[in-house]
Amino acid sequence: MTLIRIRSRDGIERLQINNPNATIADLKTLIEQHLHVPINNQTLSTDKHLLLAKTPNEIARFNDMSNPDTLIQTLGIVHGSLIFLAYEGERTIAGPKVVPAGSFGRKMTMDDLIAKQMRIVRQENAKCEMVSFDRDAANGFQNYVNESLGFGVKRGGFMYGTVSDEGKVEVDFIYEPPQQGTEDSLVLMRDENEERVVEAIALGLGMRKVGFMFTQTVGQQGKREYTLSNREVLQAVEMQGESELKEWVTVVVKLEVNEEGGADVHFEAFQMSDLCVKLFKEGWFETEVGEGDDPKLSKMKKDVVVGGKDTREVDNDFFLVVVKIFDHQGPLSSTFPVENRNTVITMRTLKNHLDRTKNLPFVKRISDFHLLLLLGRFLDVNSDVPALAGCVRAQATIPEGYQILIESMAASG
């Protein structure tokens, strides 16, 4: 017996195959029988990017499982493998046992009536057209969580950048607040004074907070069958709801095993669906996660309708809307040590940085968010910080007074 996982826009479902010589045609027949997707409406692939395809032409490019006579074992599909399924239209998904309501069961309350109308459906299109990361900023984050933390504990950071009129988000720096990460949870110990400096720098640079990035640990991945855990959904939707930015992006950084058996760092970007944000703001989510709770399910305080069935547990994937990822070379460098990590940043750190970059124009030497954050602690947050960041944005000559001040600060180290 082989058990494989089928991932579609509806989440992950399991399928049992008893024939050791099963072909793709056999697999499609089982999918039609058990998952209720007609054979002629199925597109299968071992490539997860199938679920990002929007048009029939894009879907047609995924043809690695198009030959019905191919043995699935020749594609490396074994017990526990994950296969991706795309299909058009709607289907009914098997749900939990229905709780009696109405004339043949308990009396329906107003909450029951609201729940009957609160249908959990997938949002197909994100409000964010795409997200692009500054290569140096993204590499600085992933190198730290990979090489220093070994993906052993969770780490997060707020992303700052710009949003175009077309809904394209560019991330140019990542601010890592004080935090405490474990294998399964991430607690941000936010510093209001420090965040005021961050916002002042962003203002001067013509940028704003555009999303949140966090890691999934190897411990999570060893026992997970989810894209985001229930804790991660709660944290992500709370932040998106607070931001009021319709293009707000949540980014997950994790290790994935490659074909050679090694591990590659992967970035995945999502938005929480409008319905998810609405449910959170209206208090539908159970916000306390118990030790025995299934991490791939979010618990509701009242019944909702999923796939035509009443339930209080919703697959987290229903709340996720995939966002395409690109990269770019942004206007800032990212060589200065990052705040709130294991290393202490002092004026000696500043001096070493300025000495190392002495052949560059002074504005280039300080065109680094993390360096500006250090300087901002000693400058007026309402005037000096935005003014200095504005010079960096324009790549203009730094006023002599600021330059003398910065060099004297470095010399004190």
Side-chain angles (χ1 to χ4, degrees):
M1 182 190 77
T2 300
L3 191 69
I4 63 172
R5 296 172 294 156
I6 307 293
R7 175 136 182 217
S8 70
R9 68 192 191 206
D10 305 309
I12 295 178
E13 297 164 276
R14 292 163 185 77
L15 206 59
Q16 180 177 313
I17 301 177
N18 296 318
N19 180 3
N21 298 312
T23 64
I24 289 173
D26 296 330
L27 175 59
K28 287 191 170 186
T29 299
L30 289 171
I31 290 174
E32 181 176 62
Q33 291 172 351
H34 297 281
L35 305 187
H36 312 298
V37 179
I39 291 175
N40 60 6
N41 196 12
Q42 298 176 26
T43 300
L44 298 177
S45 178
T46 56
D47 187 342
K48 64 182 179 182
H49 295 97
L50 170 64
L51 299 187
L52 293 175
K54 299 293 185 185
T55 67
N57 285 339
E58 289 179 350
I59 292 173
R61 295 176 189 154
F62 295 87
N63 55 14
D64 58 312
M65 296 183 68
S66 59
N67 185 347
D69 299 323
T70 301
L71 296 175
I72 62 172
Q73 63 184 8
T74 64
L75 299 175
I77 297 170
V78 296
H79 185 77
S81 289
L82 184 62
I83 295 172
F84 300 89
L85 164 67
Y87 68 92
E88 295 289 328
E90 301 296 330
R91 67 185 174 108
T92 300
I93 303 167
K97 184 179 179 181
V98 181
V99 178
S103 57
F104 296 100
R106 59 181 171 83
K107 291 183 178 180
M108 295 189 74
T109 65
M110 184 59 69
D111 282 347
D112 294 330
L113 293 172
I114 293 171
K116 289 299 180 188
Q117 299 171 9
M118 189 55 72
R119 300 180 61 83
I120 306 299
V121 293
R122 182 175 292 275
Q123 181 177 319
E124 293 297 331
N125 298 313
K127 301 292 178 63
C128 174
E129 180 67 24
M130 51 154 275
V131 59
S132 180
F133 301 105
D134 173 84
R135 297 183 194 99
D136 294 336
N139 282 334
F141 184 82
Q142 66 129 359
N143 285 340
Y144 177 68
V145 297
N146 189 18
E147 296 172 11
S148 297
L149 303 181
F151 279 93
V153 295
K154 295 176 75 66
R155 184 79 184 169
F158 289 104
M159 304 183 295
Y160 282 77
T162 58
V163 183
S164 73
D165 292 339
E166 297 79 30
K168 296 178 180 179
V169 172
E170 287 197 352
V171 176
D172 288 316
F173 71 83
I174 302 164
Y175 161 63
E176 298 177 25
Q179 58 194 273
Q180 185 65 49
T182 67
E183 181 181 291
D184 296 306
S185 65
L186 177 64
V187 178
L188 302 182
M189 297 174 287
R190 299 175 67 170
D191 182 331
E192 290 184 8
N193 292 328
E194 186 171 83
E195 291 197 30
R196 273 197 291 270
V197 177
V198 175
E199 292 297 326
I201 294 169
L203 178 66
L205 293 171
M207 300 178 188
R208 63 170 298 169
K209 193 187 296 182
V210 295
F212 186 68
M213 172 184 290
F214 65 88
T215 60
Q216 287 182 337
T217 63
V218 289
Q220 278 183 287
Q221 292 176 275
K223 59 189 179 188
R224 77 181 184 95
E225 289 185 357
Y226 54 80
T227 310
L228 262 64
S229 72
N230 42 20
R231 284 191 175 94
E232 291 164 347
V233 167
L234 287 169
Q235 192 166 42
V237 70
E238 181 177 13
M239 290 182 181
Q240 184 169 322
E242 285 178 357
S243 75
E244 300 296 339
L245 176 68
K246 71 178 189 298
E247 295 90 357
W248 180 273
V249 186
T250 297
V251 176
V252 185
V253 184
K254 60 186 178 181
L255 283 179
E256 286 194 352
V257 178
N258 59 32
E259 294 178 355
E260 288 76 37
D264 295 329
V265 178
H266 278 261
F267 287 68
E268 293 184 356
F270 305 94
Q271 285 195 285
M272 310 312 291
S273 69
D274 295 343
L275 179 58
C276 181
V277 175
K278 171 183 167 68
L279 290 172
F280 182 81
K281 287 185 173 181
E282 293 181 357
W284 287 69
F285 278 86
E286 289 281 5
T287 53
E288 295 297 322
V289 177
E291 284 299 317
D293 290 348
D294 188 336
K296 71 174 179 290
L297 301 175
S298 289
K299 286 191 172 182
M300 301 288 121
K301 293 178 180 177
K302 296 177 281 190
D303 285 354
V304 294
V305 180
V306 181
K309 306 293 184 182
D310 290 358
T311 182
R312 292 196 181 189
E313 293 184 329
V314 181
D315 190 313
N316 300 332
D317 282 0
F318 273 101
F319 296 131
L320 306 182
V321 190
V322 176
V323 176
K324 295 178 182 178
I325 292 180
F326 295 86
D327 64 5
H328 67 276
Q329 194 65 52
L332 303 173
S333 64
S334 192
T335 57
F336 195 77
V338 176
E339 63 285 342
N340 301 314
R341 290 185 177 176
N342 294 329
T343 54
V344 178
I345 301 172
T346 65
M347 290 305 161
R348 169 63 64 176
T349 313
L350 176 61
K351 184 179 187 303
N352 291 341
H353 176 87
L354 293 178
D355 288 345
R356 192 170 59 249
T357 57
K358 60 187 175 184
N359 294 327
L360 297 174
F362 196 79
V363 68
K364 286 285 187 189
R365 297 163 75 185
I366 67 167
S367 293
D368 187 307
F369 161 74
H370 307 290
L371 183 149
L372 291 173
L373 181 56
L374 174 65
L375 298 179
R377 294 175 181 145
F378 304 94
L379 300 173
D380 186 283
V381 72
N382 296 313
S383 57
D384 294 331
V385 174
L388 191 60
C391 292
V392 170
R393 178 186 185 185
Q395 288 295 288
T397 302
I398 302 296
E400 185 179 8
Y402 284 136
Q403 184 168 338
I404 292 171
L405 178 60
I406 294 168
E407 288 176 335
S408 66
M409 289 167 64
S412 70

